Amino acid sequence: MAVADFTRLGIADVVGLIRTGQLSPLALVQSCLDRIESFNPALNTYLTVMADAALAAAKVAEQAVTAGDALGPLHGVPVALKDNCEVAGVRMTGGTPFLRDHIAPADAEIVSRLRQAGAIILGKLNMHEWAIGGTTRNPHYGPCHNPWDPTRIPGGSSGGSGAAVAADLALVTVGTDTGGSVRIPAALNGVCGLRPMMGRISNRGVIPVSWTFDTVGPLARRAEDIAHVLQVLAGYDPHDLTSRDQPTGNYLAELNDGVTGWRVGLLGGHFQTEPQPAVVTLVTQAARMFEELGAHIEEVELDGAEGTIERASEMLLADAAAFHQARLAERAEDFGPDVRTRLRMGALVSGSQYALARQEQRRWQRQLKQTFERYDILLAPTCGIPAPLIEESEGVQTTRLLTRFTYPFSLAQLPVLSVPCGFTQGPLPVGMQLIAPAWAEASILRAAQAYQQVTDWHLRRPNVE
């Protein structure tokens, strides 16, 4: 097998080969850097490539194997980060001109945990400005392109994170999800993306959008790879006000135990009436696959689900407007037009509106908790459409369209995994959301693993060779 082919393996295979000396961390990192050099100019996934630092870390990783040192669970695994995560001594732009020359003073908590686990940081990825939008049509650093069709968006705000995995420019990437910013790029690029339970992973050292909804989340091809990364990133951080002190468990222990006897709710209502028919068909076919795997499938409607979209938007944008209050007052012209518009929308949300939205959030969370008394997981489309064309993707309207099915579960603050479930139009990837009860990331990872054992949507690759 050529060295370049190792980028197509999962984390368990890569780490196993590195541990036994069959794969050189240095060769693996160099292979990734070669692909980045070849394909990044066309895709614009990376804003900063940390080539020298990555190669130096790979040499250290290789020496550790030779010396027989204790190795971490991600030893030698190449990882890339959304450019709103701090890496000490490295530029962090946040996709905005406000931070064009900003050098991060320290590692974000997630970066520290990745390094401790032996992962190697390849660089920083393109994103929607300030992570406020769903297109990654960035007016300051150029649009990120979808590897399946470079005339189309990769989604956002973690667009570079989704595109980099799809194009094999990193084995794993890390993004952030506020209203859908991991799940949407995962769906539009044909990879897996996890929004963990709010508070599961530390946000310290990551630029906020909304203190109410922000999460860090990994993207990779396989649910198993997501589980490996979550095992490293999850855990209480007493220095992060959003972190929750909850047991993490072992996300790999029951990963292959299947879904026999599970009760799976296929969401109806606007989750089936709004998406393109091809998207509904693919998600329904995925539900039937779960039935073949031994689960019991039942269509369920969540009363009031559509109304939660506006409530989530109000709270999210109000939080964002609060964070950017001084910048919006002093340098509004330096924001991209769509981000400026959305921040001004957030600034208009009154205290009474926010209070009413917060109360609706409590009602919605209680409703979903009661729903999960009957179901183990829920299924829904991630996006109602495949990736739109870049030239037709206006930031405000396109974001509103792409978040129709992600916002309700951001409002609930529940764990959600987007998993590839087919292709349409050319082909362009389609994703489905697996939604779990509070703190039950292990359940959706287990369900996705079962699904991916009998399907190959996640292994298909765009023609970027």
Side-chain angles (χ1 to χ4, degrees):
M1 179 181 287
V3 172
D5 292 333
F6 286 111
T7 61
R8 297 177 176 239
L9 298 178
I11 286 176
D13 294 322
V14 165
V15 171
L17 291 168
I18 288 174
R19 286 176 181 272
T20 57
Q22 298 176 72
L23 174 60
S24 156
L26 187 59
L28 178 58
V29 167
Q30 186 63 63
S31 177
C32 289
L33 292 173
D34 289 345
R35 288 188 62 83
I36 293 167
E37 184 177 8
S38 295
F39 303 118
N40 195 60
L43 297 175
N44 198 27
T45 52
Y46 281 80
L47 296 183
T48 299
V49 179
M50 297 166 50
D52 291 343
L55 290 171
K59 289 178 182 177
V60 172
E62 196 157 308
Q63 290 166 358
V65 175
T66 303
D69 295 342
L71 307 180
L74 300 180
H75 191 83
V77 173
V79 177
L81 307 168
K82 186 175 181 178
D83 202 24
N84 59 350
C85 302
E86 292 185 338
V87 176
V90 177
R91 185 178 73 147
M92 179 184 67
T93 71
T96 175
F98 288 89
L99 300 177
R100 186 177 297 276
D101 300 314
H102 174 72
I103 303 299
D107 282 344
E109 175 64 14
I110 60 166
V111 177
S112 296
R113 295 190 183 203
L114 287 169
R115 292 194 198 275
Q116 290 166 8
I120 296 172
I121 311 300
L122 294 173
K124 310 295 293 299
L125 298 163
N126 203 350
M127 57 182 284
H128 204 105
E129 181 185 3
W130 288 113
I132 304 174
T135 70
T136 316
R137 185 181 176 180
N138 192 301
H140 314 293
Y141 300 94
C144 185
H145 299 266
N146 192 310
W148 291 93
D149 179 350
T151 67
R152 296 178 182 270
I153 65 169
S157 60
S158 310
S161 302
V165 173
D168 293 313
L169 305 186
L171 202 64
V172 177
T173 62
V174 175
T176 58
D177 189 305
T178 304
S181 288
V182 162
R183 291 165 285 164
I184 293 166
L188 300 192
N189 290 279
V191 301
C192 292
L194 176 69
R195 175 193 170 88
M197 180 73 184
M198 176 76 188
R200 173 67 83 191
I201 298 175
S202 175
N203 288 326
R204 183 159 54 96
V206 178
I207 300 172
V209 175
S210 164
W211 301 288
T212 308
F213 299 120
D214 288 350
T215 63
V216 168
L219 297 93
R221 290 197 174 276
R222 299 162 178 79
E224 182 179 3
D225 291 346
I226 298 287
H228 279 281
V229 178
L230 181 63
Q231 196 68 56
V232 167
L233 296 184
Y236 179 55
D237 177 4
H239 303 292
D240 172 24
L241 294 177
T242 67
S243 184
R244 301 277 295 278
D245 191 2
Q246 287 282 332
T248 57
N250 187 332
Y251 301 111
L252 295 163
E254 300 178 356
L255 191 66
N256 292 301
D257 287 357
V259 294
T260 300
W262 280 29
R263 300 158 299 168
V264 177
L266 176 62
L267 295 187
H270 90 288
F271 293 100
Q272 291 196 26
T273 58
E274 284 191 21
Q276 290 182 358
V279 172
V280 175
T281 297
L282 290 170
V283 174
T284 302
Q285 289 174 349
R288 292 185 187 134
M289 186 64 70
F290 278 109
E291 197 165 38
E292 292 181 17
L293 289 166
H296 305 290
I297 309 299
E298 180 181 330
E299 186 170 316
V300 56
E301 289 203 26
L302 297 174
D303 293 339
E306 193 171 356
T308 64
I309 299 168
E310 192 61 32
R311 303 293 80 76
S313 179
E314 288 172 349
M315 294 177 71
L316 185 160
L317 293 180
D319 282 359
F323 179 71
H324 292 286
Q325 186 174 18
R327 279 180 285 269
L328 195 59
E330 298 166 7
R331 295 176 54 185
E333 70 284 355
D334 289 339
F335 288 99
D338 67 305
V339 173
R340 182 170 59 245
T341 296
R342 297 189 78 210
L343 288 174
R344 284 175 170 164
M345 290 166 59
L348 294 175
V349 175
S350 69
S352 295
Q353 281 179 280
Y354 198 96
L356 290 170
R358 180 71 180 92
Q359 184 67 359
E360 171 61 16
Q361 181 187 39
R362 295 186 185 96
R363 185 205 64 77
W364 177 238
Q365 289 172 324
R366 179 67 58 84
Q367 180 182 343
L368 282 169
K369 182 178 180 181
Q370 292 169 347
T371 300
F372 280 117
E373 293 173 0
R374 304 191 304 276
Y375 301 101
D376 294 285
I377 61 170
L378 302 175
L379 300 186
T382 306
C383 301
I385 57 173
L389 293 166
I390 292 174
E391 64 182 17
E392 296 177 1
S393 296
E394 190 280 322
V396 176
Q397 294 301 324
T398 303
T399 296
R400 183 175 289 129
L401 186 62
L402 291 172
T403 55
R404 294 285 294 171
F405 311 117
T406 58
Y407 267 11
F409 306 109
S410 290
L411 187 68
Q413 299 177 320
L414 293 177
V416 188
L417 179 69
S418 181
V419 179
C421 65
F423 292 83
T424 184
Q425 293 183 25
L428 296 173
V430 172
M432 65 174 168
Q433 293 182 99
L434 308 183
I435 305 108
W439 307 108
E441 291 92 348
S443 293
I444 47 179
L445 290 167
R446 176 173 161 181
Q449 173 76 349
Y451 179 74
Q452 291 187 334
Q453 297 283 15
V454 294
T455 60
D456 70 348
W457 306 120
H458 60 294
L459 299 180
R460 300 192 187 189
R461 286 171 159 79
N463 184 21
V464 295
E465 301 298 335

